Amino acid sequence: MGNPAEIYTSVVDEVSNVLIGNEAIVENLTIAMLSRGHVLLEGVPGVAKTTIANLFARATGLEYNRMQMTPDLLPADITGTYVYREGTGEFEIQRGPIFANVAVADEINRATPKTQSALLEAMQEQAVTIQGDTFPLASPFIVIATQNPIEMEGTYELPEAQRDRFQLKLTVDLLERDDELELLNRFDGHPDLGSEDVSQVVSVDDIISARDIVSDVYIDEAVKGYILDIIGATRENSNVKYGASPRSSLAFLNAAKARAAIHGREYVIPDDVKALAKPILIHRLQINTEAELSGVTSGDLVEEILESVSPPSGAVDAENADVSDGDGTVPVSQREGD
C-alpha cells in the first residue's frame, strides 16, 4: 500500500477508533510524515496532544519514543552518550530517545534553550552528534513536539531558529459538544480504551514508497508563484518584524505536494496552499510590538495576507504532469471532489 491516499484513509480510519474530533490533526501529521516535516502541537491540558502522536505512531507502525521535557533535562538525555562498561573496559554508546521514528517532545517549552537545541541537528540533518561522532537516525523520522499555551510559568520560549524547523504548527482544540458526548459514551462502554485498540495499518516500506510518489507530484509555475506571493506579503506587512524565511517556501512546496497526493491528485492546486498557510506561517511570523499591543495575532495576519494575495486563475499547462483531461491543461482552481 504505497499509495498516499490509501495510507491517509487507512490511518485516519484506524486512529478514529479511539480519537474523536481531530481528523484534521491526523491529516496534517500524515502530510508532515510524507513530506519529511516536523510538527508542533499546541493545546490546553487534556486535549490528547500526546495521545494523538502515540495513536498515529501505532497506526503507521513506527517506533515511538516520548521525552518529557523538564527544566533539569540535559541534551545528553535526548541524544544519548557514551558509558563505560567495566566488563569490557570500553566505552559503549547508549542511544537516547531521539533514536525512534516518531520522537515526541512533550511540553517542549519547559526544557531549557540548551536542551531544546539538542533537537536542532536531529530535525535538520536526521542525525545527532555525540562526543564528536555522528549517528544517523531512523527513516522515516518525525519530531512531534507539544506545548501548553496557557501555563507560561517556568517555560522557555522556543528560539526562532527552532520554531522555523517545525514545518507545521497545529492547534488541538477542545471538542465540540457532540464529539465530547461520543467520547463519554465510548469510555462509558470501554473504560480501558487506549492506544492498544489501534492496530498497525501501514508499513514503513509503504511510507517510504508514498514519499517517492509525493516527490513526483506536479506543481505548476503559477502555483509556485502564488506561494512566493504569500511569502513576499509576510515580508512586506507593516505588522510583521521579520517575514517568513525561504525554509517556509520549501515547507509550502513539500507539504502542498503531500496534501495533493493524500487527496488523490497528481498535481497541486491553490487550495492546497491556502489550507496549509496557517499551519506553516503562524509560528514563524514575528509580530511587532504595536500590533501585539493592539491584539493582532499571527493567525489574523495570515488571514489578511490570504485575502490580499490573489490565487492564480484559469488553466495551467499540465504537459509535464500527465494529469490533464486531454486538452493539456488543468484548472488551477479545481477543488477536491469537483
Side-chain angles (χ1 to χ4, degrees), residues 33-54:
M33 178 184 65
L34 295 182
S35 57
R36 298 172 174 83
H38 306 288
V39 175
L40 180 61
L41 288 180
E42 185 173 86
V44 299
V47 291
K49 300 183 295 295
T50 307
T51 300
I52 291 171
N54 189 359

Side-chain angles (χ1 to χ4, degrees), residues 38 62-63 95 98-102 122 125-128 135-142 204 208 211:
H38 306 288
L62 299 176
E63 182 184 356
R95 297 171 186 263
I98 196 67
F99 287 88
N101 298 114
V102 178
E125 306 295 339
Q126 201 171 322
V128 295
F135 298 89
L137 296 175
S139 181
F141 172 71
I142 178 174
V204 171
I208 292 173
R211 282 182 166 187

